[in-house]
Amino acid sequence: MPRYFFHVTDGYSARDDEGTELPDIYTAQNQAIRTSGELLRDMGGEFWNGTEWKLEVTDEQGQILLTLRFSAEEHPALTGPSRDPGSA
């Protein structure tokens, strides 16, 4: 069974040195999506600093097979003078 490696870059690099044996590239795609979701959820508010976040899936030879990229930025909302919705 092929071994796939899931490397994360989010301002820092986290190399997957162990990898995961999966039956095929389609299963690796699904695993990449699940892993990304879990990592982004666990980052919480840190994700919103505008730094690009990337997960690369490589094969045993180090060839990049898949890349998922994410970034998020908070922008101040356009606000006008505060108005009480109950007043006319």
Side-chain angles (χ1 to χ4, degrees), residues 7 12-13 15 18-19 28 37 39-40 42-43 45 56-58 60 62 66 78 82 84:
H7 307 297
Y12 304 97
S13 291
R15 306 274 310 160
E18 294 181 26
L39 291 170
L40 293 171
D42 293 346
M43 288 176 73
E56 291 181 331
V57 179
T58 64
E60 294 178 272
L66 307 166
L78 296 176
S82 179
D84 180 0

Side-chain angles (χ1 to χ4, degrees), residues 24-81:
D24 54 42
I25 189 68
Y26 304 109
T27 306
Q29 286 176 333
N30 289 332
Q31 183 62 46
I33 292 168
R34 280 194 301 276
T35 299
S36 296
E38 292 168 5
L39 291 170
L40 293 171
R41 180 194 64 226
D42 293 346
M43 288 176 73
E46 292 177 39
F47 178 62
W48 292 94
N49 68 6
T51 301
E52 183 177 285
W53 185 95
K54 176 173 66 174
L55 181 136
E56 291 181 331
V57 179
T58 64
D59 62 14
E60 294 178 272
Q61 290 74 42
Q63 180 178 358
I64 298 171
L65 305 173
L66 307 166
T67 302
L68 286 87
R69 296 177 196 274
F70 300 93
S71 67
E73 297 176 29
E74 287 184 288
H75 298 278
L78 296 176
T79 58

